[in-house]
Amino acid sequence: MPVDAELARSWVTGFADSVTAAKDELTKLDQAIGDGDHGSNMSRGLTQAVAKLAGDTPGDVLKGVGRTLISTVGGASGPLYGTAFREAGKALGDAASADDTAFAAALRAGMDGIIRLGKAETGDKTMIDAWTPALAALDAALAGGSSLADATAAAAAAAADGAEATIPLQARKGRASYLGPRSVGHQDPGATSTTMLFATLAKAAG
């Protein structure tokens, strides 16, 4: 299934709806180990991104979302998610659509952008703990001949497992790291919103 501008818009719109519906849940998670504004900030930024959705190619759509998130969302989440969308969009270039392999590579470019900006590694109790297994599952499924719909569903499941696996971890990055051992026992809010990112991608591709 090729990824075109329509699929990209459907994905972003679904992600915005999902985050807004879970705004209070995300905020509660962030109140435990962060600034307490992850849900409200992401909901506000994604709402603005949806209002400005434009572009005839998936690359243009995702780059536009990235610019909006970077310019409207404070804290760490806006720049990190904004960078991911922007880098994924840049990797897709000007093509009218992308095949499964090109889209998977674009998502990895997005994650690499997060890593460069946040300097986080797997196990630091950040959104990378959900992104990493999600993209590994996506690549493995595509390599095994799965459709994009099935591969993104596998990625969504792996992201959810990765987010849950942050609960026993002690944070090593961001404000949560200031809490030291007291950060243990809480699911990372960024990893949680990442599960929504991949779940809504799977729905858009399904």
Side-chain angles (χ1 to χ4, degrees):
M1 178 184 203
V3 176
D4 57 15
E6 182 179 354
L7 193 155
R9 283 193 288 270
S10 176
W11 175 28
V12 173
T13 301
F15 183 41
D17 290 345
S18 182
V19 166
T20 297
K23 180 172 60 176
D24 292 343
E25 174 195 346
L26 291 171
T27 293
K28 186 176 180 181
L29 289 172
D30 202 31
Q31 284 172 338
I33 58 174
D35 294 330
D37 56 7
H38 185 60
S40 56
N41 277 348
M42 286 297 295
S43 176
R44 186 181 67 254
L46 285 166
T47 298
Q48 293 190 38
V50 168
K52 297 178 180 178
L53 275 178
D56 296 326
T57 69
D60 283 344
V61 171
L62 298 186
K63 283 186 288 186
V65 171
R67 286 193 295 270
T68 301
L69 292 179
I70 290 171
S71 63
T72 61
V73 182
S77 56
L80 292 171
Y81 270 113
T83 296
F85 277 110
R86 186 182 62 186
E87 292 301 309
K90 287 167 61 178
L92 291 172
D94 298 326
S97 64
D99 63 19
D100 298 352
T101 302
F103 185 62
L107 290 177
R108 189 160 292 281
M111 184 179 76
D112 289 345
I114 294 174
I115 292 172
R116 282 196 302 275
L117 184 62
K119 297 180 173 48
E121 301 176 351
T122 302
D124 283 345
K125 198 180 180 88
T126 72
M127 62 173 67
I128 291 300
D129 289 302
W131 272 85
T132 300
L135 294 192
L138 180 74
D139 289 343
L142 291 177
S146 294
S147 66
L148 183 63
D150 289 342
T152 52
D161 289 344
E164 187 174 355
T166 64
I167 295 174
L169 297 178
Q170 179 173 324
R172 298 194 297 242
K173 288 290 181 182
R175 183 171 292 275
S177 66
Y178 303 161
L179 298 177
R182 287 188 290 136
S183 65
V184 173
H186 303 280
Q187 184 163 310
D188 180 71
T192 304
S193 58
T194 298
T195 69
M196 300 170 190
L197 180 75
F198 282 96
T200 51
L201 174 60
K203 187 174 182 179

